[in-house]
Amino acid sequence: MMWKATHTEATSGTVTWKSPSNIALVKYWGKHGVQLPANPSISFTLDACHTVTRMDWTPNGAEEMNIRFYFDGEEKPDFLPKIEQFFERIAPYVTPLSGFDLEIHSHNSFPHSSGIASSASSMSALALCVCSWERQFVEVSDAEFYQKASVLARLGSGSACRSLYGGLVAWGKHADIADASDEYGVPFAEVHPVFQSYKDTVLLVDRGQKTVSSTVGHQLMHGHPFAEQRFGKAHENLSDLLVALNKGDLQLFTQLVEGEALMLHAMMMTSTPHFILMKPNTLSIIEKVWAYRQETGTHLCITLDAGANVHLLYPQVEEKGALAFIDSELAQYCQKEHYICDQVGLGPMQQTEKL
Ligand code: DP6
């Protein structure tokens, strides 16, 4: 690591990053220490669902750091506690930001109330802004830059550390991924081409607020009667999924990915207190997808996060048929018939245009 200048010499500046959301195939559910995962996970990086964040810094001639946060152009003091917690957590690892006023502007490509978690895209975008700020003073390679951004993003929200690269990203130590780490995500490249252009149509079943926050959800795995079995199974499922991803085995992929989603919800249904986050429409969608798959021999596969929305994963070659089916059979179960067409993306991009 080479120091270029001290941060006290810094003048004002600005940087803007666009960073995507991701959808986990093997789920992260349970954590320990400072944002360390109880089991390894892997996700598709998305494209259309993303956050654009701009960070401006101005020396304030004092010792402290002051933050103002704006969402879609409007100042949002309510969001500050989460952002301040992020800056407190990353403080031991980054060039000090004390002595600067920060103005942060953020915009999500998806509606705030859509039930799509924005923590992965927003925390990864913010982590990238901080790393760009730091790059003024410290010489780092691109590989080091993104790895550090992943560490910082993780401290903001676990799943965010998987949004720093395109394609497939694994997070958490695993016997079959040599460079995997609990501290940051790593791109997983040994993937059959079919998965490089995979589609994800997000069916917005419930646009309301989640009834269990992920923070509370992860805590439910402490003392959960099936915790050890779950963590063991995640390791096994990831081993098997790596084979499916490598070979392009869509049947094995579907079996594992759907099993993971249902196990995540099974964990919530069997914790104390218990939660059912699926809605009747979630189940109607799952039944219709399974019947369609049976009838057509295609590979539509469902996955779920900690909510009622359904992510529908399928290969690009099946897109036309899938979209026609979604439109005629599934849109009716979505709030205001709303769904988002997304796909596997290339990862974050620094923006030259100011937000
Ligand atoms: C169900 O990353 O939102 O989406 O670390 O508390 O911010 P925190 O949790 P978060 O949890 C995501 C859980 C999940 C599965 C996954 O994305 O792996």
Side-chain angles (χ1 to χ4, degrees), residues 24 27-29 31 35 119 156-159 162 214-215 218 264 305-306:
K27 308 287 180 181
Y28 148 58
W29 199 241
K31 58 179 164 181
Q35 292 284 99
S119 67
S157 177
S159 56
R162 296 186 313 235
S214 55
T215 311
H218 289 289
L264 169 73
D305 267 344

PDB file of all heavy atoms in Angstrom, residues 24 27-29 31 35 119 156-159 162 214-215 218 264 305-306, ligand 1:
ATOM      1  N   ALA A  24     -29.780 -13.926  -3.892  1.00  0.00           N
ATOM      2  CA  ALA A  24     -29.035 -15.085  -3.394  1.00  0.00           C
ATOM      3  C   ALA A  24     -29.658 -16.381  -3.901  1.00  0.00           C
ATOM      4  O   ALA A  24     -30.882 -16.531  -3.955  1.00  0.00           O
ATOM      5  CB  ALA A  24     -29.017 -15.080  -1.869  1.00  0.00           C
ATOM      6  N   LYS A  27     -28.682 -19.044   0.483  1.00  0.00           N
ATOM      7  CA  LYS A  27     -29.018 -17.862   1.288  1.00  0.00           C
ATOM      8  C   LYS A  27     -28.133 -17.673   2.513  1.00  0.00           C
ATOM      9  O   LYS A  27     -27.789 -18.643   3.187  1.00  0.00           O
ATOM     10  CB  LYS A  27     -30.478 -17.982   1.780  1.00  0.00           C
ATOM     11  CG  LYS A  27     -31.505 -18.275   0.708  1.00  0.00           C
ATOM     12  CD  LYS A  27     -31.762 -17.079  -0.179  1.00  0.00           C
ATOM     13  CE  LYS A  27     -32.810 -17.413  -1.253  1.00  0.00           C
ATOM     14  NZ  LYS A  27     -33.067 -16.265  -2.146  1.00  0.00           N
ATOM     15  N   TYR A  28     -27.838 -16.418   2.777  1.00  0.00           N
ATOM     16  CA  TYR A  28     -27.188 -15.981   4.024  1.00  0.00           C
ATOM     17  C   TYR A  28     -28.298 -15.736   5.035  1.00  0.00           C
ATOM     18  O   TYR A  28     -29.160 -14.887   4.828  1.00  0.00           O
ATOM     19  CB  TYR A  28     -26.398 -14.715   3.686  1.00  0.00           C
ATOM     20  CG  TYR A  28     -26.241 -13.649   4.751  1.00  0.00           C
ATOM     21  CD1 TYR A  28     -25.656 -13.938   5.994  1.00  0.00           C
ATOM     22  CD2 TYR A  28     -26.632 -12.327   4.496  1.00  0.00           C
ATOM     23  CE1 TYR A  28     -25.486 -12.932   6.944  1.00  0.00           C
ATOM     24  CE2 TYR A  28     -26.458 -11.320   5.437  1.00  0.00           C
ATOM     25  CZ  TYR A  28     -25.889 -11.626   6.663  1.00  0.00           C
ATOM     26  OH  TYR A  28     -25.717 -10.629   7.591  1.00  0.00           O
ATOM     27  N   TRP A  29     -28.319 -16.489   6.095  1.00  0.00           N
ATOM     28  CA  TRP A  29     -29.356 -16.304   7.125  1.00  0.00           C
ATOM     29  C   TRP A  29     -28.763 -16.721   8.461  1.00  0.00           C
ATOM     30  O   TRP A  29     -28.679 -17.910   8.755  1.00  0.00           O
ATOM     31  CB  TRP A  29     -30.604 -17.121   6.778  1.00  0.00           C
ATOM     32  CG  TRP A  29     -31.835 -16.657   7.504  1.00  0.00           C
ATOM     33  CD1 TRP A  29     -32.600 -17.389   8.373  1.00  0.00           C
ATOM     34  CD2 TRP A  29     -32.472 -15.367   7.404  1.00  0.00           C
ATOM     35  NE1 TRP A  29     -33.652 -16.640   8.835  1.00  0.00           N
ATOM     36  CE2 TRP A  29     -33.601 -15.373   8.248  1.00  0.00           C
ATOM     37  CE3 TRP A  29     -32.198 -14.184   6.695  1.00  0.00           C
ATOM     38  CZ2 TRP A  29     -34.440 -14.276   8.402  1.00  0.00           C
ATOM     39  CZ3 TRP A  29     -33.042 -13.095   6.850  1.00  0.00           C
ATOM     40  CH2 TRP A  29     -34.145 -13.157   7.684  1.00  0.00           C
ATOM     41  N   LYS A  31     -25.862 -14.672  11.469  1.00  0.00           N
ATOM     42  CA  LYS A  31     -24.530 -14.045  11.452  1.00  0.00           C
ATOM     43  C   LYS A  31     -23.976 -13.999  12.868  1.00  0.00           C
ATOM     44  O   LYS A  31     -24.695 -14.204  13.846  1.00  0.00           O
ATOM     45  CB  LYS A  31     -24.604 -12.653  10.839  1.00  0.00           C
ATOM     46  CG  LYS A  31     -25.556 -11.673  11.538  1.00  0.00           C
ATOM     47  CD  LYS A  31     -25.514 -10.326  10.840  1.00  0.00           C
ATOM     48  CE  LYS A  31     -26.690  -9.449  11.230  1.00  0.00           C
ATOM     49  NZ  LYS A  31     -26.713  -8.155  10.580  1.00  0.00           N
ATOM     50  N   GLN A  35     -20.818  -8.687  11.616  1.00  0.00           N
ATOM     51  CA  GLN A  35     -21.309  -8.941  10.262  1.00  0.00           C
ATOM     52  C   GLN A  35     -20.580 -10.086   9.559  1.00  0.00           C
ATOM     53  O   GLN A  35     -20.248  -9.957   8.374  1.00  0.00           O
ATOM     54  CB  GLN A  35     -21.170  -7.658   9.423  1.00  0.00           C
ATOM     55  CG  GLN A  35     -22.080  -6.533   9.857  1.00  0.00           C
ATOM     56  CD  GLN A  35     -23.503  -6.765   9.421  1.00  0.00           C
ATOM     57  OE1 GLN A  35     -24.343  -7.223  10.203  1.00  0.00           O
ATOM     58  NE2 GLN A  35     -23.797  -6.527   8.168  1.00  0.00           N
ATOM     59  N   SER A 119     -30.793  -2.591   0.634  1.00  0.00           N
ATOM     60  CA  SER A 119     -29.559  -2.483   1.417  1.00  0.00           C
ATOM     61  C   SER A 119     -28.343  -2.956   0.617  1.00  0.00           C
ATOM     62  O   SER A 119     -27.271  -2.377   0.739  1.00  0.00           O
ATOM     63  CB  SER A 119     -29.679  -3.229   2.744  1.00  0.00           C
ATOM     64  OG  SER A 119     -29.781  -4.608   2.523  1.00  0.00           O
ATOM     65  N   GLY A 156     -21.932  -2.615   6.271  1.00  0.00           N
ATOM     66  CA  GLY A 156     -23.221  -1.919   6.166  1.00  0.00           C
ATOM     67  C   GLY A 156     -24.382  -2.892   6.123  1.00  0.00           C
ATOM     68  O   GLY A 156     -25.387  -2.736   6.812  1.00  0.00           O
ATOM     69  N   SER A 157     -24.252  -3.926   5.310  1.00  0.00           N
ATOM     70  CA  SER A 157     -25.280  -4.970   5.181  1.00  0.00           C
ATOM     71  C   SER A 157     -24.614  -6.199   4.561  1.00  0.00           C
ATOM     72  O   SER A 157     -23.968  -6.077   3.514  1.00  0.00           O
ATOM     73  CB  SER A 157     -26.413  -4.474   4.272  1.00  0.00           C
ATOM     74  OG  SER A 157     -27.360  -5.501   4.085  1.00  0.00           O
ATOM     75  N   GLY A 158     -24.781  -7.345   5.206  1.00  0.00           N
ATOM     76  CA  GLY A 158     -24.063  -8.544   4.777  1.00  0.00           C
ATOM     77  C   GLY A 158     -24.176  -8.815   3.284  1.00  0.00           C
ATOM     78  O   GLY A 158     -23.164  -8.932   2.571  1.00  0.00           O
ATOM     79  N   SER A 159     -25.418  -8.877   2.780  1.00  0.00           N
ATOM     80  CA  SER A 159     -25.611  -9.258   1.381  1.00  0.00           C
ATOM     81  C   SER A 159     -24.984  -8.237   0.426  1.00  0.00           C
ATOM     82  O   SER A 159     -24.710  -8.556  -0.735  1.00  0.00           O
ATOM     83  CB  SER A 159     -27.103  -9.424   1.080  1.00  0.00           C
ATOM     84  OG  SER A 159     -27.784  -8.233   1.397  1.00  0.00           O
ATOM     85  N   ARG A 162     -21.818  -8.890  -1.732  1.00  0.00           N
ATOM     86  CA  ARG A 162     -21.884  -9.688  -2.966  1.00  0.00           C
ATOM     87  C   ARG A 162     -22.227  -8.833  -4.180  1.00  0.00           C
ATOM     88  O   ARG A 162     -22.374  -9.373  -5.278  1.00  0.00           O
ATOM     89  CB  ARG A 162     -22.912 -10.817  -2.798  1.00  0.00           C
ATOM     90  CG  ARG A 162     -22.560 -11.848  -1.712  1.00  0.00           C
ATOM     91  CD  ARG A 162     -23.576 -12.994  -1.743  1.00  0.00           C
ATOM     92  NE  ARG A 162     -24.914 -12.429  -1.795  1.00  0.00           N
ATOM     93  CZ  ARG A 162     -25.892 -12.704  -0.924  1.00  0.00           C
ATOM     94  NH1 ARG A 162     -25.703 -13.568   0.051  1.00  0.00           N
ATOM     95  NH2 ARG A 162     -27.072 -12.120  -1.048  1.00  0.00           N
ATOM     96  N   SER A 214     -34.272  -7.731   8.378  1.00  0.00           N
ATOM     97  CA  SER A 214     -33.250  -8.778   8.268  1.00  0.00           C
ATOM     98  C   SER A 214     -32.428  -8.854   9.550  1.00  0.00           C
ATOM     99  O   SER A 214     -31.986  -9.922   9.947  1.00  0.00           O
ATOM    100  CB  SER A 214     -32.378  -8.560   7.041  1.00  0.00           C
ATOM    101  OG  SER A 214     -31.826  -7.287   7.062  1.00  0.00           O
ATOM    102  N   THR A 215     -32.264  -7.707  10.239  1.00  0.00           N
ATOM    103  CA  THR A 215     -31.503  -7.724  11.502  1.00  0.00           C
ATOM    104  C   THR A 215     -32.182  -8.657  12.505  1.00  0.00           C
ATOM    105  O   THR A 215     -31.533  -9.505  13.120  1.00  0.00           O
ATOM    106  CB  THR A 215     -31.436  -6.286  12.083  1.00  0.00           C
ATOM    107  OG1 THR A 215     -31.030  -5.427  11.027  1.00  0.00           O
ATOM    108  CG2 THR A 215     -30.489  -6.185  13.247  1.00  0.00           C
ATOM    109  N   HIS A 218     -31.951 -12.424  11.206  1.00  0.00           N
ATOM    110  CA  HIS A 218     -30.671 -13.117  11.437  1.00  0.00           C
ATOM    111  C   HIS A 218     -30.553 -13.550  12.903  1.00  0.00           C
ATOM    112  O   HIS A 218     -30.037 -14.619  13.207  1.00  0.00           O
ATOM    113  CB  HIS A 218     -29.495 -12.218  11.054  1.00  0.00           C
ATOM    114  CG  HIS A 218     -29.354 -12.008   9.575  1.00  0.00           C
ATOM    115  ND1 HIS A 218     -28.937 -13.014   8.725  1.00  0.00           N
ATOM    116  CD2 HIS A 218     -29.579 -10.931   8.797  1.00  0.00           C
ATOM    117  CE1 HIS A 218     -28.908 -12.536   7.486  1.00  0.00           C
ATOM    118  NE2 HIS A 218     -29.295 -11.288   7.501  1.00  0.00           N
ATOM    119  N   LEU A 264     -35.119 -21.274   3.734  1.00  0.00           N
ATOM    120  CA  LEU A 264     -35.042 -19.965   4.389  1.00  0.00           C
ATOM    121  C   LEU A 264     -36.375 -19.658   5.084  1.00  0.00           C
ATOM    122  O   LEU A 264     -36.418 -19.257   6.245  1.00  0.00           O
ATOM    123  CB  LEU A 264     -34.719 -18.890   3.336  1.00  0.00           C
ATOM    124  CG  LEU A 264     -34.840 -17.425   3.771  1.00  0.00           C
ATOM    125  CD1 LEU A 264     -33.696 -17.049   4.697  1.00  0.00           C
ATOM    126  CD2 LEU A 264     -34.833 -16.504   2.557  1.00  0.00           C
ATOM    127  N   ASP A 305     -36.720 -13.948  -1.100  1.00  0.00           N
ATOM    128  CA  ASP A 305     -35.913 -13.360  -0.029  1.00  0.00           C
ATOM    129  C   ASP A 305     -36.781 -13.391   1.227  1.00  0.00           C
ATOM    130  O   ASP A 305     -37.794 -14.065   1.254  1.00  0.00           O
ATOM    131  CB  ASP A 305     -35.498 -11.935  -0.414  1.00  0.00           C
ATOM    132  CG  ASP A 305     -34.138 -11.934  -1.100  1.00  0.00           C
ATOM    133  OD1 ASP A 305     -33.428 -12.951  -0.985  1.00  0.00           O
ATOM    134  OD2 ASP A 305     -33.801 -10.930  -1.734  1.00  0.00           O
ATOM    135  N   ALA A 306     -36.405 -12.594   2.216  1.00  0.00           N
ATOM    136  CA  ALA A 306     -37.199 -12.589   3.446  1.00  0.00           C
ATOM    137  C   ALA A 306     -38.428 -11.695   3.246  1.00  0.00           C
ATOM    138  O   ALA A 306     -38.571 -10.639   3.848  1.00  0.00           O
ATOM    139  CB  ALA A 306     -36.348 -12.088   4.596  1.00  0.00           C
TER     140      ALA A 306
HETATM  141  C1  DP6 B   1     -32.746 -13.320   2.983  1.00  0.00           C
HETATM  142  O1  DP6 B   1     -27.924  -8.622   4.037  1.00  0.00           O
HETATM  143  O2  DP6 B   1     -30.241  -7.739   4.435  1.00  0.00           O
HETATM  144  O3  DP6 B   1     -31.767 -11.692   1.557  1.00  0.00           O
HETATM  145  O4  DP6 B   1     -26.542  -8.156   7.149  1.00  0.00           O
HETATM  146  O5  DP6 B   1     -28.532  -7.643   8.547  1.00  0.00           O
HETATM  147  O6  DP6 B   1     -28.056  -6.261   6.528  1.00  0.00           O
HETATM  148  P1  DP6 B   1     -27.950  -7.618   7.186  1.00  0.00           P
HETATM  149  O7  DP6 B   1     -28.864  -8.608   6.360  1.00  0.00           O
HETATM  150  P2  DP6 B   1     -29.171  -8.705   4.809  1.00  0.00           P
HETATM  151  O8  DP6 B   1     -29.762 -10.191   4.750  1.00  0.00           O
HETATM  152  C2  DP6 B   1     -30.163 -10.744   3.529  1.00  0.00           C
HETATM  153  C3  DP6 B   1     -30.826 -12.031   3.750  1.00  0.00           C
HETATM  154  C4  DP6 B   1     -31.460 -12.654   2.542  1.00  0.00           C
HETATM  155  C5  DP6 B   1     -30.554 -13.735   1.938  1.00  0.00           C
HETATM  156  C6  DP6 B   1     -29.349 -13.283   1.164  1.00  0.00           C
HETATM  157  O9  DP6 B   1     -29.388 -12.232   0.508  1.00  0.00           O
HETATM  158  O10 DP6 B   1     -28.376 -14.044   1.178  1.00  0.00           O
END
